[in-house]
Amino acid sequence: MFNIKKRLRKDKKKAPDDHLEGPSQALSPPHPPSPPPSIPDPGITPIPDGRRLRTPLGLLTSEPTSGLSQRPRSRSADRRGDPLGLTIIHEPKSPPHCDLIFVHGLGGTSRATWAKGRDPDYCWPQEWLPVEPGIGRARILSFGYNANFAAAGPAPITGIADFARDLLYAMKYAKGEDLEELELGQRPIVFVLHSMGGLVAKQAYILGKDDPSYSDMISSVRAMMFLATPHRGSNLAEVLNRILAASIFNHSPKLYVAELKNGSRTIEALNDQFRHIAPRLKIISFFETLPTYVGPKKTMVVEKGSATMGYPNEISKSMNADHHTVCKFDNKENSDYISVRNALKTLITDVCLKGVGSVKAPAQAQEWKEHLQHLLGACENHQDDFEFFRKRWTTGTCDWILSHTIFKQWATDQEESPVMLWLHALPGSGKSILSSFVINHLLEESFCVYYFFRFGDQSKRSLSNCLKSTVCQIAEKVPNFRYALTDMSSSSKTLEKADPKIIWDKIFVGILFKLMLPITMYWIIDAVDESDHPQLLVEMMQGVAKSTASIKILLVSRQNDDLISTFDRLSILVPSVFLPVEDTKRDIRTCVEKEVQYMRASKKFKSMVIERMVAAAHGNFLWASLTLVEVMRCNTQEDLDETLEAMPSGMDQLYRRMESNIISKTTDRPQDQRLGHTILTWATCSRRPLALNELTQALQPEFSIVLDPQFTIGRVCGQFVTVDASNRLVMVHQTARDHIMTTDSVLAVDATEGHKKLFTKCLSVIEGQVHRRGTNLQSDDQGFVRYAVTSWAYHFNLTSVDTDEPLLRLGSFLDGNTVLAWIVSLAQLNQLKVLVYSSKIMTLYVRRKRSQYGSTNPILHRLQELDLVESWATDFLKILGKFGPTLLLVIGSNDRLIRVANLANANPTWSTLHEGLLKEDTTIDRPVHNMPWRMAFNSDASCVAVAYRGSPLCLWSLAPPKLIRRCKRSQDYAGNAWTVVDQVIWHPQSEELIGLYMGGHVFRWNPWEDTQQELQAYGSILALSSNGKFFAIGDSNGTIKLYNFHHFVLIYQLSCENLINDICFSPDSRRLYDLRGQFCNIWEPNALVRADESVEHESDVVSEAASNRTAAVSEAVAQVRDQITAIGVQFSGKHQALGNESGTVSLIDATEGSQSPFQLCRSDVCLSITHLDWSSDGNYLASAELTGKVAVRRVQLETDRRDSTATPIFEVKIPVSPEGIEQILLDKEADRLLVKNGPTVTVWSSIQEPDVDDNAGTTILLPDTKWIQHPKDSKLLLAFRPGHVQTYRWDDLAEVSTLDIQKPLFRAVTHDSPKIDQLSLIDHVVRIGSISANASGSHLLIDTVKATTTGQEHSTSILPTSALNSPARGSSVTPTLLPATIQRLIEIPLGLLPKQRIIFLDKDHWMCSWRVGANPATEKVQKYYFLPKDWLNVEYLKLCALLADGRFLIPNNGELAVIRSATMSHW
């Protein structure tokens, strides 16, 4: 029933007259002539006795309609053949904007109801609406249901609610012609409803909104159009049922007819419920004004009072029609049809725009803006540029484009209209003002996003910023797009520094083009030629052809050969048209007329001025506007003639005249001439336009304070420079900038000299302002300081390498302390990315300078300064790469002092860290199986590359499945044209593959162009970064080689002895991971950090970086050490024991920083040492191995460490439990040894006796405990577990006492059942993490750990040792819990030091202390230093320890780091 049929079903049976929709649908006149005997009268109903009775259908008629009454009816008009259920009657070729659903009324059908004379050619929803602009993009459906009230037989128990349920079911489960889903609810829905169909739709809306099965779909219903719907019932309903019962044999009254009568309960209940939800909908109600024939009389079927509801949001309109013709029309010019069509167009526009709206709630707006900022960084302010050009628009200009045929063809919302329009013109033709006019027009009528490229602002030349701005504008209006971006920002890496292609592919192609937008979206991009990548921008637009959303693009630019060829290629894939702007005389005339009207002269004189100006302008707006300034000063005919005759015709000549005027006015004032040249230098060379207050600061102290900057600029720079709407200094046009930089007058600005001057100025400002204490860079008067801090590298890059002045100036800056103040300033401004940009610029400069030195005298080379710049370039990267967001600077200076600055603070300052700290003196021929063994899919899974053992690499298409091409080598190897491919990977951003031939050669293959490039790399394994910029190979010698994918050149090499099992990049492409043996190593080469942290910059830098392919390869040699697995700590001793994964035990003197560990002993098997423990006197060392071997050795240390010995005095091999050996303890005299092996605890006594081997030890079962020697009694042991502490004797493990911990270390979670034992629950989820005693043994620090659903929760408490002296069983102790504010900071408690200070690592891994018992509100936690992020290994942190003198021990890459704090050591 619900399969959609897109064409009318035909039936050979003769159709009777239409049944009534309401009371009547008959087209016959009141008293039609008797038909011939051979043709049965459709108005006559046969009855059993042979008589014929005229039915009420012949009595209830409407007026005849001229022109159609004689038209023969086709067989397809058989109303009984009209389909039931939901059928599609129009499907647009492109994805629809919305769905229109037509529902007929009483006695009607899904087709005949809407067709005059039941003629399908007059079915206006099917034949007329699809060609109406703005409506044709909607999908149109019609719902049919059995509302034939004249049918004989028993009445079905069917009411309006049953029809409504049928409608809901059809909308939910109806299928297309090929059983595809209709997806109703995915776009806005508009109902068009006749008569009782309006009641059915209202009931369906009420039922569906409260039913979970339908609520989502019903929420997409946005509007209802009612055509003569009896909202309050009809007086004819009851009469109709009685007439039918009396006239038709076996007819029973219909429930749904009875429900239509005035005051019926169904109608009243329906209205009562609908009035509460009607405000959500747009409602238009049409009512009939002509009576309908009922028998011989006319009557109103549905009165106006019943056809309208009177709701505040309802729009009502009368129609010159009766109840029958209110939904049928003679032609498209019918006034009633026009009313309905126009209302539908408005409804569709409104409901579609409802899905395209700004975020109104401030909290929601702020939330999604934060998500966007995380994903994209800050978006450019696009409105300022639009307002700047819009203010320069003159009323009456530019409107010609709206009537231009090509523009109208592009702008129309038709499927065959072009997608892209390129509007191009000569410089100075007013293109940007025309763009602002088009934008303003589209913003008023539709959905428009826009962007203006600006030549004078580096950031506004960026293609990436253009795409980001477009994303922000669309996200503000399109909820689905906004939600997708929010999800993306939560799960993906930021795209702030991504190149334009990645942004385009991930956001536009990956998200936007897959959405179905309700209306057409217009993109206007102005000054494409001023973009840093204009060809790339145009080329990317080919992706719009695959967009599900309807998008129209207008690109505006000057015309050049590159863009012409790019557009020619693009037009093959994307329907495009070109519109050259050639005739601008009318607009120029309008502008001139507007200005000339203020001239005090006769009309004749004004008319002459206008004509001569328009003729001389030659279509150049810029020329006209600049010339008009001088013309307006003319007072006489002679003045005008002289001015116009002297006025040059071209822009270059005009600029020269402007130059001459400025020079002549400032010849006698050299200071003004210098000021003008300086302002021109800033206007042409600045990284971005300077605000006027910034310019005033930049001019000092060379020039005194400028009282009126805007007036002064006009006086010393003429019309070359202007001030925009944001009070920023800009050149009047790009052609003016080009002229000033190529002219030979005193105003000429040499680009390299200008950038050198601005570079020097920036460094001078940084040295003079930033280094001052208390400077607030966020204040308004520090605007130019902010510019200098972020822009000096930009100017440095554009200086010439032919002079050493910039190098010497930068060397001086880097050699002083100001560079550190500059880094602090970047942190304050949240601009640390400038470090990476500056590093890149400095590296490029060093390369260019070294290249230039190759042809100059070596005596003149400034190698020291060059090395300084290069080293700082590396250090800038390391600052971010190593410390990340916690940017703490620690420097050692020539005065032998350590200075520290915490850049995380709002106002970081330098402080000296303990003045005495640095003052101390310290083949095909072989048989192979032809079977696939390597496969790789491309990014959209449309193709797969398959490597075989016995044939070439093949590329297959999946849809349809076919072989595209085989990979053949560029030259024969060993007589073969191909080689077995050992590994193959698709490039993530292109259609190229990279692979590894058997034998180690790397190849790059473009299967579509069948081009290939090879490297003799001798690799054994291959990896490609996720951004596609790099690939790495590992060879059989353990060396990793990193290559640039684009240039296919080696850029980094890492040598390491161990063989490589596997290799890959991190998801952010900043690190390399490799597997060697049992371990994974993580590498972070500078080359990857630099690439990842790259920022947008000018095309000059890109070109320089891309062209420099001969740069030296960075090489590093790494040693993979055996990792430390155990530390034996002497709390107050000198030597610390280290055990590693190869079974070696070493000693290190932790008091001597220069000492390296020396081997003490080695296990027989190369397996890990798991535990170490010293005797209290440091003469004995116990060790446990992974195999279960436990040993105690007497350690004899000699002056020459090589003579030191470790003599075994006790060894035992125990079966290791599944939990493993968890603890070993030596007593004070090293005569007893405790081993906790899973749940069992064993003590061996007299281990120094000769017959100790016969001693099996004493064993007890005591799981979940942590053991420690009693701090005050060497004969006792303490066993801690949650809720209890027990005392045991060393000799025989006899229990001495058990104390309850009265206060649980974790407060129990409240449960509903009071019968649950809170403490028993805690025992199951809590364990003791660590226990340590202070130096005097007076207090114990206990770390308790509770497992939670999200991880672990720590609780730290302090227990006085004296509380353990109570021998009575059942006694209790009460530990002191730390305040909650302190506890929340603790990640790892380390120990207690004198003055009752607890030492711990906080959540950010800072070493901290706090005085126990202090008020946390008044005495804050003190921080000392933090651990670098590359030390934060879980295994390392488990082994870290704190010594009595405050030294901190932590393993790091096979070595022991010993950290001393000057402040902590003074406790």
Side-chain angles (χ1 to χ4, degrees):
M1 172 179 178
F2 297 108
N3 289 344
I4 302 300
K5 302 296 183 183
K6 295 185 179 179
R7 54 188 176 86
L8 294 174
R9 292 166 58 179
K10 312 259 181 177
D11 199 304
K12 295 183 179 180
K13 296 181 180 179
K14 177 70 178 177
D17 283 349
D18 286 353
H19 289 177
L20 178 71
E21 290 207 36
S24 175
Q25 275 192 337
L27 287 175
S28 55
H31 302 286
S34 301
S38 59
I39 302 177
D41 186 347
I44 303 298
T45 302
I47 56 177
D49 61 2
R51 295 175 297 137
R52 292 195 300 173
L53 175 68
R54 182 168 297 277
T55 69
L57 298 182
L59 301 176
L60 303 179
T61 61
S62 61
E63 291 282 10
T65 303
S66 61
L68 283 178
S69 57
Q70 305 302 319
R71 183 181 179 92
R73 296 169 179 154
S74 65
R75 290 181 301 172
S76 64
D78 188 350
R79 46 175 285 111
R80 291 172 298 181
D82 287 352
L84 298 176
L86 199 60
T87 59
I88 296 176
I89 58 178
H90 168 65
E91 179 84 65
K93 294 180 181 178
S94 57
H97 287 166
C98 68
D99 288 315
L100 296 183
I101 300 179
F102 285 74
V103 183
H104 64 79
L106 180 64
T109 64
S110 59
R111 297 293 198 277
T113 291
W114 314 102
K116 192 75 170 179
R118 306 190 301 278
D119 190 333
D121 292 340
Y122 284 80
C123 184
W124 56 276
Q126 185 175 14
E127 301 297 330
W128 300 350
L129 290 185
V131 297
E132 297 287 2
I135 302 178
R137 289 294 300 275
R139 180 171 60 176
I140 304 176
L141 306 96
S142 182
F143 176 68
Y145 58 100
N146 187 8
N148 183 8
F149 58 79
I157 307 175
T158 302
I160 293 174
D162 297 307
F163 294 142
R165 293 186 183 94
D166 283 348
L167 174 58
L168 286 173
Y169 185 87
M171 291 172 66
K172 178 77 172 180
Y173 297 106
K175 300 294 186 292
E177 196 171 48
D178 298 322
L179 294 183
E180 73 275 11
E181 298 293 336
L182 293 187
E183 296 182 338
L184 281 167
Q186 299 299 313
R187 58 191 66 84
I189 297 173
V190 177
F191 276 112
V192 182
L193 312 158
H194 180 233
S195 191
M196 188 179 76
L199 304 180
V200 171
K202 286 166 60 177
Q203 185 68 68
Y205 187 82
I206 293 171
L207 295 174
K209 75 178 183 64
D210 295 327
D211 189 330
S213 300
Y214 303 117
S215 57
D216 288 342
M217 177 182 68
I218 288 299
S219 66
S220 295
V221 177
R222 306 286 174 78
M224 291 185 179
M225 177 183 285
F226 297 100
L227 303 176
T229 294
H231 298 290
R232 294 178 177 82
S234 173
N235 292 326
L236 294 179
E238 189 173 356
V239 175
L240 178 62
N241 248 340
R242 289 200 302 268
I243 293 176
L244 293 171
S247 306
I248 301 179
F249 177 75
N250 201 25
H251 180 276
S252 300
K254 302 295 191 291
L255 173 62
Y256 53 83
V257 176
E259 290 176 334
L260 294 178
K261 68 180 180 180
N262 279 336
S264 74
R265 291 185 179 181
T266 300
I267 292 288
E268 290 180 354
L270 187 59
N271 288 335
D272 184 60
Q273 296 177 69
F274 190 71
R275 66 185 176 87
H276 296 292
I277 56 179
R280 308 175 190 175
L281 303 172
K282 292 184 178 297
I283 297 175
I284 299 180
S285 298
F286 289 95
F287 56 90
E288 62 203 65
T289 58
L290 300 180
T292 303
Y293 272 100
V294 180
K297 296 183 179 180
K298 290 183 177 181
T299 186
M300 296 295 293
V301 176
V302 179
E303 300 285 350
K304 175 183 177 182
S306 182
T308 58
M309 294 174 283
Y311 296 155
N313 64 320
E314 178 189 23
I315 297 174
S316 59
K317 171 72 170 66
S318 64
M319 295 184 72
N320 187 32
D322 59 25
H323 190 76
H324 170 57
T325 58
V326 77
C327 59
K328 301 176 178 67
F329 310 109
D330 299 344
N331 51 60
K332 295 175 67 174
E333 287 71 37
N334 183 288
S335 60
D336 289 337
Y337 169 75
I338 293 174
S339 297
V340 172
R341 178 202 65 188
N342 292 347
L344 271 178
K345 171 64 168 62
T346 300
L347 283 180
I348 291 172
T349 302
D350 288 347
V351 301
C352 289
L353 284 173
K354 189 174 182 180
V356 181
S358 300
V359 185
K360 296 182 179 180
Q364 293 179 355
Q366 182 61 31
E367 182 179 357
W368 77 260
K369 285 179 179 179
E370 289 176 358
H371 282 293
L372 274 187
Q373 187 167 4
H374 171 264
L375 180 64
L376 301 173
C379 292
E380 288 289 329
N381 186 344
H382 60 282
Q383 295 177 335
D384 288 348
D385 294 320
F386 168 66
E387 293 171 359
F388 172 75
F389 291 113
R390 185 62 184 159
K391 288 179 180 178
R392 279 152 179 75
W393 171 74
T394 301
T395 304
T397 62
C398 302
D399 52 3
W400 59 268
I401 195 172
L402 300 181
S403 58
H404 196 286
T405 304
I406 293 178
F407 181 84
K408 290 171 62 178
Q409 180 187 3
W410 167 79
T412 185
D413 188 18
Q414 296 295 329
E415 297 173 4
E416 67 277 0
S417 62
V419 172
M420 185 172 298
L421 170 62
W422 179 29
L423 193 152
H424 54 79
L426 295 173
S429 302
K431 298 183 296 297
S432 296
I433 294 176
L434 180 61
S435 295
S436 70
F437 173 82
V438 173
I439 292 168
N440 187 70
H441 171 74
L442 293 173
L443 286 174
E444 292 176 351
E445 297 191 356
S446 54
F447 180 20
C448 177
V449 298
Y450 55 88
Y451 191 82
F452 290 83
F453 286 104
R454 301 294 298 273
F455 71 92
D457 191 333
Q458 181 202 9
S459 65
K460 291 186 178 180
R461 292 175 55 201
S462 165
L463 177 55
S464 290
N465 287 345
C466 169
L467 297 179
K468 293 174 186 177
S469 176
T470 304
V471 169
C472 292
Q473 294 178 66
I474 298 173
E476 185 179 358
K477 296 290 186 180
V478 182
N480 290 345
F481 185 57
R482 188 161 62 239
Y483 302 150
L485 289 178
T486 301
D487 294 340
M488 187 179 186
S489 70
S490 302
S491 60
S492 300
K493 171 192 170 187
T494 176
L495 298 177
E496 180 179 3
K497 302 157 194 170
D499 60 51
K501 191 66 170 63
I502 292 178
I503 297 174
W504 179 263
D505 289 340
K506 288 199 171 184
I507 296 182
F508 290 87
V509 178
I511 299 177
L512 179 63
F513 293 168
K514 295 179 180 178
L515 297 179
M516 291 187 293
L517 299 184
I519 61 173
T520 297
M521 183 186 349
Y522 293 89
W523 294 358
I524 314 297
I525 304 178
D526 181 71
V528 172
D529 53 304
E530 296 176 18
S531 163
D532 53 5
H533 299 294
Q535 281 77 35
L536 177 60
L537 169 61
V538 179
E539 288 169 359
M540 287 192 306
M541 293 301 165
Q542 63 181 310
V544 178
K546 301 177 182 178
S547 173
T548 302
S550 175
I551 299 175
K552 297 296 187 77
I553 301 171
L554 171 61
L555 301 180
V556 184
S557 74
R558 291 186 288 184
Q559 190 178 32
N560 60 53
D561 293 339
D562 291 336
L563 284 177
I564 290 174
S565 62
T566 304
F567 271 104
D568 286 341
R569 293 194 304 270
L570 178 67
S571 61
I572 300 175
L573 302 173
V574 181
S576 306
V577 289
F578 307 146
L579 175 57
V581 181
E582 297 171 344
D583 187 9
T584 57
K585 287 186 177 181
R586 195 184 69 150
D587 288 346
I588 293 177
R589 177 182 295 277
T590 303
C591 293
V592 174
E593 287 176 348
K594 181 179 179 181
E595 293 299 321
V596 170
Q597 67 177 328
Y598 300 106
M599 181 183 287
R600 295 185 177 182
S602 65
K603 291 184 177 179
K604 183 178 180 181
F605 184 80
K606 292 180 181 179
S607 178
M608 180 189 61
V609 171
I610 293 170
E611 294 301 327
R612 295 189 62 176
M613 284 287 296
V614 172
H618 298 293
N620 193 313
F621 261 103
L622 181 61
W623 185 95
S625 61
L626 294 176
T627 305
L628 198 58
V629 176
E630 294 195 34
V631 170
M632 291 297 292
R633 297 172 183 163
C634 296
N635 299 313
T636 65
Q637 176 73 42
E638 290 75 12
D639 289 344
L640 177 64
D641 292 339
E642 181 180 348
T643 300
L644 290 179
E645 288 175 5
M647 196 64 66
S649 59
M651 289 305 304
D652 191 58
Q653 293 84 355
L654 179 61
Y655 289 144
R656 290 189 182 277
R657 175 183 170 87
M658 291 163 56
E659 274 184 276
S660 300
N661 290 341
I662 296 172
I663 294 172
S664 63
K665 292 178 182 179
T666 57
T667 300
D668 298 333
R669 296 178 60 85
Q671 183 78 354
D672 283 356
Q673 204 166 89
R674 288 195 305 109
L675 176 61
H677 185 270
T678 302
I679 294 175
L680 284 171
T681 302
W682 280 109
T684 55
C685 297
S686 61
R687 181 178 63 85
R688 59 165 176 79
L690 294 184
L692 289 186
N693 64 332
E694 294 175 335
L695 177 65
T696 303
Q697 298 165 23
L699 295 176
Q700 298 173 24
E702 291 84 358
F703 302 93
S704 58
I705 298 176
V706 180
L707 300 178
D708 188 345
Q710 194 160 353
F711 173 78
T712 303
I713 290 169
R715 185 165 57 84
V716 301
C717 298
Q719 299 180 63
F720 281 106
V721 180
T722 185
V723 178
D724 68 9
S726 302
N727 276 333
R728 299 179 304 173
L729 185 77
V730 295
M731 295 296 292
V732 68
H733 196 265
Q734 184 175 358
T735 54
R737 177 178 180 267
D738 296 340
H739 176 82
I740 285 296
M741 299 186 78
T742 56
T743 186
D744 54 2
S745 73
V746 294
L747 295 179
V749 175
D750 179 82
T752 55
E753 287 296 318
H755 284 290
K756 183 178 74 173
K757 180 179 179 180
L758 302 192
F759 162 67
T760 304
K761 179 65 179 179
C762 288
L763 290 190
S764 299
V765 169
I766 294 173
E767 291 172 337
Q769 298 290 330
V770 174
H771 202 50
R772 297 179 183 175
R773 288 182 176 270
T775 302
N776 181 10
L777 295 182
Q778 301 292 351
S779 62
D780 294 338
D781 60 349
Q782 297 295 312
F784 182 68
V785 179
R786 293 193 293 271
Y787 176 89
V789 165
T790 56
S791 304
W792 67 260
Y794 168 80
H795 297 296
F796 176 67
N797 175 66
L798 297 174
T799 60
S800 173
V801 295
D802 294 332
T803 175
D804 287 334
E805 290 181 38
L807 176 62
L808 295 175
R809 186 67 185 87
L810 181 58
S812 174
F813 171 73
L814 296 175
D815 199 34
N817 291 333
T818 310
V819 63
L820 302 177
W822 169 68
I823 297 174
V824 173
S825 301
L826 291 177
Q828 289 179 324
L829 297 172
N830 196 25
Q831 291 288 329
L832 285 175
K833 62 184 180 181
V834 176
L835 283 174
V836 185
Y837 173 66
S838 303
S839 171
K840 179 175 294 185
I841 295 303
M842 290 159 62
T843 301
L844 290 173
Y845 180 88
V846 168
R847 292 176 184 173
R848 287 188 290 147
K849 194 67 176 176
R850 291 194 191 279
S851 177
Q852 186 260 348
Y853 276 170
S855 58
T856 59
N857 189 343
I859 299 178
L860 303 177
H861 295 177
R862 296 286 185 172
L863 298 181
Q864 183 176 354
E865 287 81 3
L866 207 60
D867 290 340
L868 179 65
V869 171
E870 190 171 34
S871 64
W872 270 107
T874 302
D875 290 341
F876 288 166
L877 291 178
K878 289 183 176 180
I879 287 173
L880 284 179
K882 188 172 183 65
F883 298 104
T886 309
L887 190 53
L888 182 73
L889 292 184
V890 182
I891 58 127
S893 52
N894 292 337
D895 56 5
R896 303 182 73 185
L897 291 177
I898 291 290
R899 290 185 171 85
V900 180
N902 185 355
L903 301 190
N905 295 337
N907 295 300
T909 57
W910 291 104
S911 60
T912 301
L913 185 66
H914 201 268
E915 295 186 359
L917 195 58
L918 285 186
K919 298 294 178 70
E920 301 173 86
D921 295 325
T922 55
T923 207
I924 203 64
D925 299 322
R926 57 189 173 86
V928 292
H929 297 287
N930 189 18
M931 58 178 293
W933 74 319
R934 301 287 188 268
M935 297 179 66
F937 288 90
N938 64 348
S939 57
D940 60 0
S942 61
C943 297
V944 59
V946 183
Y948 301 87
R949 292 183 181 273
S951 61
L953 174 71
C954 297
L955 178 67
W956 294 85
S957 169
L958 299 182
K962 66 176 181 178
L963 177 65
I964 297 176
R965 186 168 277 111
R966 289 186 172 90
C967 178
K968 300 294 183 68
R969 299 189 76 163
S970 56
Q971 54 183 312
D972 287 353
Y973 284 79
N976 298 307
W978 62 273
T979 304
V980 176
V981 173
D982 189 48
Q983 194 174 352
V984 62
I985 305 172
W986 279 94
H987 190 273
Q989 307 298 340
S990 71
E991 294 299 327
E992 292 183 300
L993 297 105
I994 187 169
L996 202 62
Y997 282 125
M998 194 75 76
H1001 284 215
V1002 179
F1003 68 92
R1004 180 173 64 186
W1005 179 43
N1006 186 325
W1008 313 106
E1009 300 176 4
D1010 200 19
T1011 58
Q1012 189 174 155
Q1013 188 174 358
E1014 290 192 25
L1015 276 175
Q1016 296 183 7
Y1018 304 107
S1020 58
I1021 195 163
L1022 174 71
L1024 181 65
S1025 64
S1026 59
N1027 59 17
K1029 293 181 178 180
F1030 304 98
F1031 67 90
I1033 64 167
D1035 63 21
S1036 57
N1037 297 320
T1039 300
I1040 296 175
K1041 296 177 182 178
L1042 183 66
Y1043 291 83
N1044 179 289
F1045 181 88
H1046 178 68
H1047 299 299
F1048 230 51
V1049 293
L1050 180 66
I1051 59 174
Y1052 187 87
Q1053 182 168 304
L1054 174 68
S1055 300
C1056 192
E1057 294 180 358
N1058 306 61
L1059 294 180
I1060 302 173
N1061 298 326
D1062 204 351
I1063 186 173
C1064 72
F1065 286 84
S1066 63
D1068 59 5
S1069 300
R1070 291 185 57 183
R1071 296 184 177 92
L1072 277 168
Y1073 300 85
D1074 70 46
L1075 290 177
R1076 300 173 190 258
Q1078 302 177 23
F1079 296 94
C1080 174
N1081 301 297
I1082 305 173
W1083 312 101
E1084 192 173 66
N1086 285 340
L1088 293 182
V1089 176
R1090 184 182 298 113
D1092 180 74
E1093 298 293 342
S1094 61
V1095 296
E1096 290 294 331
H1097 50 82
E1098 69 289 350
S1099 57
D1100 298 335
V1101 178
V1102 176
S1103 300
E1104 175 67 26
S1107 62
N1108 196 338
R1109 299 179 58 179
T1110 59
V1113 177
S1114 300
E1115 185 167 3
V1117 178
Q1119 179 183 358
V1120 180
R1121 305 179 182 90
D1122 292 326
Q1123 299 301 302
I1124 295 174
T1125 54
I1127 300 179
V1129 177
Q1130 291 193 67
F1131 186 58
S1132 302
K1134 180 178 181 181
H1135 291 89
Q1136 311 302 328
L1138 309 176
N1140 66 22
E1141 61 191 6
S1142 65
T1144 300
V1145 177
S1146 305
L1147 293 186
I1148 185 172
D1149 186 347
T1151 62
E1152 298 292 337
S1154 60
Q1155 292 288 333
S1156 58
F1158 60 94
Q1159 181 174 320
L1160 190 64
C1161 60
R1162 187 180 182 89
S1163 171
D1164 297 332
V1165 292
C1166 296
L1167 292 177
S1168 299
I1169 304 296
T1170 58
H1171 296 84
L1172 294 170
D1173 190 52
W1174 286 99
S1175 62
S1176 59
D1177 58 8
N1179 293 328
Y1180 296 89
L1181 179 66
S1183 64
E1185 300 176 12
L1186 190 63
T1187 59
K1189 179 181 178 181
V1190 180
V1192 179
R1193 293 177 175 87
R1194 180 184 296 109
V1195 179
Q1196 185 71 34
L1197 299 177
E1198 303 294 342
T1199 305
D1200 187 346
R1201 299 187 305 172
R1202 293 174 298 181
D1203 298 332
S1204 300
T1205 59
T1207 306
I1209 64 168
F1210 173 77
E1211 288 184 357
V1212 65
K1213 180 71 177 293
I1214 61 176
V1216 180
S1217 69
E1219 296 89 346
I1221 297 177
E1222 297 176 349
Q1223 254 189 299
I1224 61 172
L1225 285 178
L1226 270 177
D1227 74 339
K1228 186 174 182 180
E1229 290 79 17
D1231 193 44
R1232 301 174 184 85
L1233 173 67
L1234 178 145
V1235 177
K1236 185 174 186 302
N1237 181 23
T1240 64
V1241 180
T1242 304
V1243 170
W1244 286 269
S1245 301
S1246 304
I1247 60 176
Q1248 299 187 35
E1249 299 296 330
D1251 57 349
V1252 69
D1253 291 340
D1254 298 332
N1255 184 358
T1258 303
T1259 300
I1260 62 173
L1261 187 66
L1262 202 61
D1264 302 324
T1265 52
K1266 183 71 83 172
W1267 293 75
I1268 186 176
Q1269 296 193 64
H1270 196 293
K1272 295 295 186 178
D1273 192 339
S1274 61
K1275 298 179 180 180
L1276 298 178
L1277 288 165
L1278 297 176
F1280 282 83
R1281 56 177 176 168
H1284 307 283
V1285 55
Q1286 296 166 280
T1287 306
Y1288 292 86
R1289 285 200 299 265
W1290 260 112
D1291 291 338
D1292 53 5
L1293 278 183
E1295 182 179 351
V1296 176
S1297 63
T1298 298
L1299 301 176
D1300 295 332
I1301 299 178
Q1302 187 176 33
K1303 190 174 186 179
L1305 300 184
F1306 281 92
R1307 292 180 175 86
V1309 180
T1310 303
H1311 293 270
D1312 295 334
S1313 174
K1315 299 179 180 180
I1316 296 178
D1317 182 353
Q1318 301 289 325
L1319 194 56
S1320 65
L1321 283 175
I1322 293 177
D1323 288 342
H1324 284 85
V1325 298
V1326 178
R1327 63 179 177 83
I1328 302 297
S1330 64
I1331 304 173
S1332 61
N1334 60 352
S1336 64
S1338 61
H1339 289 80
L1340 297 175
L1341 181 67
I1342 306 172
D1343 176 38
T1344 312
V1345 184
K1346 179 174 69 174
T1348 66
T1349 57
T1350 58
Q1352 293 183 341
E1353 181 181 341
H1354 290 257
S1355 178
T1356 307
S1357 58
I1358 299 173
L1359 183 67
T1361 309
S1362 58
L1364 303 174
N1365 296 332
S1366 175
R1369 181 174 294 274
S1371 300
S1372 63
V1373 294
T1374 304
T1376 301
L1377 288 174
L1378 296 180
T1381 54
I1382 303 299
Q1383 183 63 65
R1384 281 194 292 266
L1385 301 175
I1386 298 177
E1387 178 68 17
I1388 300 176
L1390 296 172
L1392 294 169
L1393 291 185
K1395 301 181 181 178
Q1396 287 297 304
R1397 300 197 73 87
I1398 179 174
I1399 312 299
F1400 60 90
L1401 288 175
D1402 71 2
K1403 301 294 184 182
D1404 295 323
H1405 297 94
W1406 279 82
M1407 181 65 71
C1408 304
S1409 74
W1410 181 71
R1411 186 170 60 86
V1412 178
N1415 185 348
T1418 57
E1419 185 166 341
K1420 303 296 183 182
V1421 169
Q1422 187 171 350
K1423 293 186 175 183
Y1424 303 99
Y1425 54 83
F1426 71 95
L1427 302 182
K1429 62 180 181 180
D1430 55 344
W1431 291 18
L1432 303 182
N1433 180 293
V1434 176
E1435 300 302 324
Y1436 295 169
L1437 293 173
K1438 287 181 180 179
L1439 298 175
C1440 67
L1442 184 73
L1443 302 183
D1445 58 2
R1447 285 175 297 163
F1448 178 67
L1449 310 179
I1450 183 171
N1452 180 33
N1453 192 25
E1455 298 179 312
L1456 183 68
V1458 182
I1459 304 175
R1460 292 183 295 179
S1461 168
T1463 307
M1464 292 172 63
S1465 63
H1466 283 76
W1467 289 336

